[in-house]
């Protein structure tokens, strides 16, 4: 999948079947979405189009983008931040005004860490680690 994303023609040249790989990815994601939807419908005990309003969809996209798309922990971290943010803001401001804070927090996160929180922190930690010492080659002793 990464090879197809980065350079499809190179992936095809090494024998990766793009059509098959993308079809398998679509089937797996559809199966996961279907399972999640059926579990959620069972939890709510109702199937209603209003369950997933536009604001819910936008909130989910914000969580993924802010946390770091393409990582496993990114959406989890974004979900925690943007899931707890409404709870923290509820006593202070109206729900409509919370979207302004959402936008400001998202802009702040993406300005400081363009790829998201998790990749940004990983890059920061990689820069802070001391570099491995370089061993110099000792000159050969000739007798």
């Amino acid at each position: 999948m990464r090879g197809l994303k980065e350079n499809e023609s190179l992936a095809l040249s090494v024998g990766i079947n793009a059509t098959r790989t993308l079809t398998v990815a679509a089937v797996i994601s559809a199966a996961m979405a279907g399972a999640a939807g059926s579990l959620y419908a069972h939890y709510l005990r109702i199937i209603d189009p209003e369950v997933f309003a536009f604001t819910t969809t936008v909130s989910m996209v914000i969580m993924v983008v802010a946390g770091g798309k393409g990582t496993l922990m990114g959406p989890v971290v974004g979900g925690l931040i943007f899931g707890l943010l409404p709870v923290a803001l509820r006593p202070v401001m109206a729900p409509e005004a919370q979207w302004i804070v959402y936008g400001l927090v998202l802009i702040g996160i993406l300005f400081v860490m363009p790829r998201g929180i998790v990749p940004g922190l990983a890059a920061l930690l990689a820069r802070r680690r001391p570099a491995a010492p370089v061993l110099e080659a000792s000159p050969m002793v000739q007798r």
Side-chain angles (χ1 to χ4, degrees):
M1 290 300 296
R2 258 192 202 150
L4 284 173
K5 177 185 171 195
E6 296 297 326
N7 192 342
E8 186 174 347
S9 59
L10 181 63
L12 292 172
S13 70
V14 294
I16 295 175
N17 186 345
T19 306
R20 181 178 181 271
T21 304
L22 295 175
T23 303
V24 167
V27 167
I28 290 172
S29 65
M32 290 175 65
S38 66
L39 290 173
Y40 194 62
H42 179 71
Y43 172 73
L44 291 179
R45 296 185 179 162
I46 189 171
I47 299 174
D48 185 22
E50 295 298 317
V51 172
F52 286 110
F54 179 71
T55 56
T56 307
T57 306
V58 171
S59 295
M60 289 181 198
V61 171
I62 288 173
M63 291 174 190
V64 171
V65 170
K69 59 181 182 172
T71 64
L72 185 60
M73 286 303 296
V76 174
V77 171
L80 284 173
I81 291 172
F82 286 98
L84 295 176
L85 193 61
V87 175
L89 295 175
R90 189 170 294 136
V92 182
M93 60 181 50
E96 292 81 17
Q98 290 179 8
W99 284 101
I100 296 170
V101 176
Y102 272 32
L104 292 175
V105 170
L106 181 64
I107 289 170
I109 288 171
L110 293 179
F111 183 73
V112 175
M113 296 176 255
R115 291 180 22 210
I117 295 171
V118 172
L121 291 177
L124 181 67
L125 290 175
R127 275 187 263 144
R128 299 246 176 176
R129 285 189 197 138
V134 177
L135 300 175
E136 294 183 20
S138 61
M140 294 181 58
V141 178
Q142 294 187 3
R143 297 183 191 191

